[in-house]
Amino acid sequence: MTAADIKPRFRVSPGGRIGGELTVPGDKSISHRALMLGGLATGQTEITGFLAGEDCLSTLRVLQALGVRIERPAPEHVRVHGAGVAALRGSSAPLDMGNAGTAMRLFMGLLAPQPFDSVLIGDESLMRRPMERVAAPLRQMGARIETREGRPPVHIRGTPGLQGIDFRMPVASAQVKSAVLLAGLGARGRTRVSEPAPTRDHTERMLRAFGVQVQREGASVSLEGGQGLTGTAVRVPADFSSAAFFIVAGLIGAEQGLLLRNVGVNPTRTGLLEMLRSMGADIRLHPHPGDGAEPTADIEVHQSALRGIHVPRDLVPLAIDEFPIFFVAAALAQGETTVRGAEELRVKETDRLAAMAEGLSVLGVENHLLDDGLWLRGGPGFTGGQINSHGDHRIAMAFTIAALAAREPIEIHDVANVATSFPGFLALARAAGLTLEAT
Ligand code: S3P
């Protein structure tokens, strides 16, 4: 399913039983990184379980535009023929990152130390997203980068000879951390990034798998510039952020249980599990022994009665992409739920706090939008109605799952971007027990 052939609207019938065994597609964050590090490395990088979603395909095409030879023996199997960082070539055309914030921000770090210029663009949503958070530390390293009032297009004047920095991130962002570390690889001396709160650590783990020495001390991670990468095999686990939709679906409707296979359960990604368990969710993990760089597990979910919670602030970065579906679960929990310290949700593919507040109101859920979060009062179910996803894949999928607890059909508009992170969502949702059609 690609953005071109998916229909722009989902119509989901109310109710349904959830069950069986599912494998959701590969992890988006890890697929982006495997491609990029493969492109910087010397030698072959064999990626299996690759996410064939539009975001990662944007990264793949951008690397090809930079001169990296890439084969795709199967949709989820990618072979990158890395010729080392010196083999990258500038592209005369702008590099189009599509809807992918991760691609744009990580490429900013990767491209800043190269000897050629680059222009980075994206779709309508990405052209509105903040890029100064990455441009500012890169400039401190000596990079020459211009944005348009903080947003794309991003013009990078390639500047070999950047200088490593000691950077304290003002926001807890894995994308900023990763961009600075990637620039640090091409800089003189040591680059150190300190995080105000833990964020996903896929870049650090994968750099080590490519032979780079990365040091972690408390809240800081650092590396010495000039280290070469060696191509390797990367097995991409199923994406926890995609599994999250079916975890909540299972909590709503899996009387006999639902099993999600081979899901990445890196602890910097699974804040949602802690949140749901503290609400009373019956979720069991069956870890796989002897995994590679990333831990994986089968996740078993059973229908559960939930209670509302005040989400601890330190869990927010560890569940940052899961709030749309979390709010659906919270709206079905007894009592009040509050999320604070989540202002980052306002600068995702859309303003996810506003989009969720709007959609929940349509479905009859009492809620208040806060500057940095959302308050809501849970209840037994949803009405039906017309939902605007604002072109955001995770908003669209969250409200699709909500229909399991609705009294009338839910129609979700502007769903083409589901293909950015979750190709095949429609078929898997049907296989799990939802009744939905694309119209
Ligand atoms: C990502 C980091 C997160 C997340 C995004 C993917 C990554 O963004 O929301 O979907 O792959 O590093 P921030 O770093 O802006 O929090």
Side-chain angles (χ1 to χ4, degrees):
M1 191 159 61
T2 67
D5 54 274
I6 189 174
K7 299 291 192 301
R9 192 182 301 180
F10 288 157
R11 185 182 162 82
V12 200
S13 302
R17 284 231 179 96
I18 292 293
E21 294 187 9
L22 299 178
T23 306
V24 302
D27 188 280
K28 180 150 75 86
S29 292
I30 297 173
S31 296
H32 279 303
R33 286 159 171 81
L35 286 171
M36 290 183 195
L37 298 195
L40 291 177
T42 306
Q44 204 164 292
T45 291
E46 200 86 31
I47 309 169
T48 49
F50 174 74
L51 172 64
E54 288 301 317
D55 277 9
C56 298
L57 294 175
S58 294
T59 288
L60 191 152
R61 286 188 289 263
V62 167
L63 283 169
Q64 286 174 324
L66 295 168
V68 179
R69 189 158 77 80
I70 302 179
E71 283 176 284
R72 210 161 150 220
E76 294 168 6
H77 180 182
V78 177
R79 191 172 294 137
V80 184
H81 296 271
V85 63
L88 296 182
R89 291 195 312 263
S91 161
S92 50
L95 301 168
D96 188 352
M97 309 292 165
N99 192 243
T102 306
M104 182 164 293
R105 297 198 177 115
L106 270 58
F107 268 117
M108 285 171 71
L110 191 156
L111 291 168
Q114 306 310 326
F116 50 80
D117 299 350
S118 305
V119 180
L120 281 52
I121 58 169
D123 72 2
E124 213 188 310
S125 154
L126 187 53
M127 295 301 273
R128 288 195 299 261
R129 295 183 65 188
M131 295 299 148
E132 274 301 313
R133 54 181 58 198
V134 177
L138 295 180
R139 283 190 205 111
Q140 282 179 36
M141 299 174 83
R144 289 179 296 166
I145 301 185
E146 281 161 40
T147 61
R148 188 159 63 201
E149 291 172 13
R151 302 189 166 79
V154 177
H155 288 260
I156 302 175
R157 299 271 222 98
T159 312
L162 299 187
Q163 182 62 47
I165 50 164
D166 209 328
F167 180 59
R168 289 180 160 274
M169 284 196 296
V171 281
S173 163
Q175 293 177 352
V176 176
K177 172 177 67 177
S178 302
V180 175
L181 290 175
L182 288 175
L185 276 178
R188 282 189 306 269
R190 183 161 284 273
T191 295
R192 179 176 287 105
V193 183
S194 310
E195 333 185 75
T199 66
R200 64 189 69 191
D201 64 357
H202 304 305
T203 302
E204 299 92 298
R205 286 176 187 254
M206 200 180 290
L207 281 169
R208 290 192 185 107
F210 278 79
V212 175
Q213 304 238 345
V214 181
Q215 278 76 37
R216 156 78 54 188
E217 289 161 86
S220 304
V221 52
S222 69
L223 54 76
E224 200 62 43
Q227 299 185 64
L229 283 72
T230 308
T232 187
V234 180
R235 256 188 310 135
V236 182
D239 196 325
F240 181 84
S241 298
S242 297
F245 298 102
F246 291 102
I247 291 174
V248 172
L251 294 176
I252 300 172
E255 283 174 23
Q256 308 296 321
L258 171 73
L259 195 69
L260 296 159
R261 291 232 176 261
N262 193 36
V263 184
V265 287
N266 179 320
T268 60
R269 291 286 297 280
T270 53
L272 177 75
L273 292 184
E274 283 182 57
M275 286 151 56
L276 292 174
R277 280 180 169 150
S278 72
M279 298 166 82
D282 180 356
I283 303 173
R284 305 168 203 173
L285 253 56
H286 305 285
H288 296 172
D291 278 306
E294 294 281 347
T296 59
D298 292 345
I299 301 180
E300 185 185 337
V301 188
H302 292 264
Q303 190 177 54
S304 308
L306 302 179
R307 308 174 288 278
I309 54 163
H310 298 290
V311 173
R313 278 175 187 251
D314 58 337
L315 286 183
V316 169
L318 308 181
I320 194 67
D321 291 339
E322 282 62 77
F323 281 97
I325 190 62
F326 171 76
F327 288 129
V328 169
L332 298 171
Q334 215 191 337
E336 299 173 24
T337 289
T338 319
V339 175
R340 304 299 306 256
E343 59 276 10
E344 275 297 299
L345 295 178
R346 292 197 176 270
V347 289
K348 294 296 179 188
E349 284 81 333
T350 189
D351 177 343
R352 287 186 173 159
L353 292 176
M356 286 307 298
E358 177 189 297
L360 289 170
S361 298
V362 169
L363 299 182
V365 180
E366 184 187 352
N367 69 83
H368 294 298
L369 185 56
L370 311 168
D371 284 351
D372 64 344
L374 193 70
W375 171 92
L376 63 81
R377 189 190 307 283
F382 302 111
T383 61
Q386 306 290 319
I387 301 289
N388 183 351
S389 77
H390 295 271
D392 184 312
H393 53 135
R394 300 200 196 280
I395 303 289
M397 290 187 277
F399 283 112
T400 301
I401 300 301
L404 287 169
R407 293 184 287 281
E408 301 287 332
I410 296 181
E411 233 173 56
I412 303 129
H413 298 253
D414 200 3
V415 300
N417 277 335
V418 165
T420 59
S421 70
F422 203 149
F425 172 74
L426 196 101
L428 266 191
R430 282 186 183 138
L434 282 115
T435 307
L436 76 163
E437 49 181 326
T439 61

